[in-house]
């Protein structure tokens, strides 16, 4: 089964006022989840700073959508989204085929 990725904006830190604009988003806290066959799951969490808006491209805080904010997150570097999803896929692969295992202490068996 294919891995299903879900991206979520957990919260946003804002500046109350900046250059005549109000509630300006400065930091986005995000989470990406991956699920494969509902048995294997992985998650990664992070925060990214976003650039200062101009009056021409500013969207009032109340009118922001999660999809729009996620495009800001994904746009922080060229392959950001692909890199994070590759990381999640690697975590799931490690669960399916572990390269390191924790065994019980031999004297405890």
């Amino acid at each position: 089964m294919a891995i299903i990725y879900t991206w979520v904006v957990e919260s946003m830190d804002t500046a109350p006022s900046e250059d005549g604009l109000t509630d300006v988003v400065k930091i986005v806290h995000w989470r990406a989840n991956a699920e494969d066959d509902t048995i294997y799951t992985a998650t990664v969490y992070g925060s990214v700073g976003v650039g200062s808006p101009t009056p021409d491209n500013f969207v009032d805080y109340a009118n922001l959508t999660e999809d729009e904010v996620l495009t800001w997150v994904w746009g922080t570097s060229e392959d950001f989204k692909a890199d994070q999803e590759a990381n999640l896929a690697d975590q799931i692969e490690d669960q399916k085929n572990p390269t390191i295992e924790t065994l019980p202490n031999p004297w405890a068996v």
Side-chain angles (χ1 to χ4, degrees):
M1 180 178 185
I3 297 173
I4 298 169
Y5 300 99
T6 307
W7 286 78
V8 178
V9 173
E10 295 286 342
S11 64
M12 297 180 285
D13 299 340
T14 62
S17 178
E18 183 177 301
D19 297 330
L21 304 171
T22 57
D23 299 328
V24 178
V25 176
K26 303 305 287 180
I27 300 171
V28 177
H29 303 275
W30 57 269
R31 180 178 310 277
N33 300 303
E35 184 178 310
D36 184 10
D37 296 331
T38 68
I39 297 170
Y40 303 103
T41 62
T43 191
V44 64
Y45 178 85
S47 301
V48 295
V50 295
S52 294
T54 64
D56 295 338
N57 70 0
F58 182 72
V59 178
D60 287 330
Y61 189 85
N63 295 328
L64 290 172
T65 65
E66 187 170 42
D67 288 341
E68 181 173 13
V69 174
L70 284 171
T71 63
W72 300 349
V73 171
W74 298 332
T76 56
S77 69
E78 185 176 327
D79 296 321
F80 184 86
K81 183 179 181 193
D83 290 345
Q84 297 304 319
E85 290 181 355
N87 175 356
L88 291 166
D90 289 346
Q91 289 182 46
I92 287 177
E93 183 59 31
D94 285 345
Q95 291 174 42
K96 290 180 177 180
N97 301 296
T99 57
I100 296 177
E101 296 178 339
T102 302
L103 298 175
N105 293 333
W107 55 88
V109 220

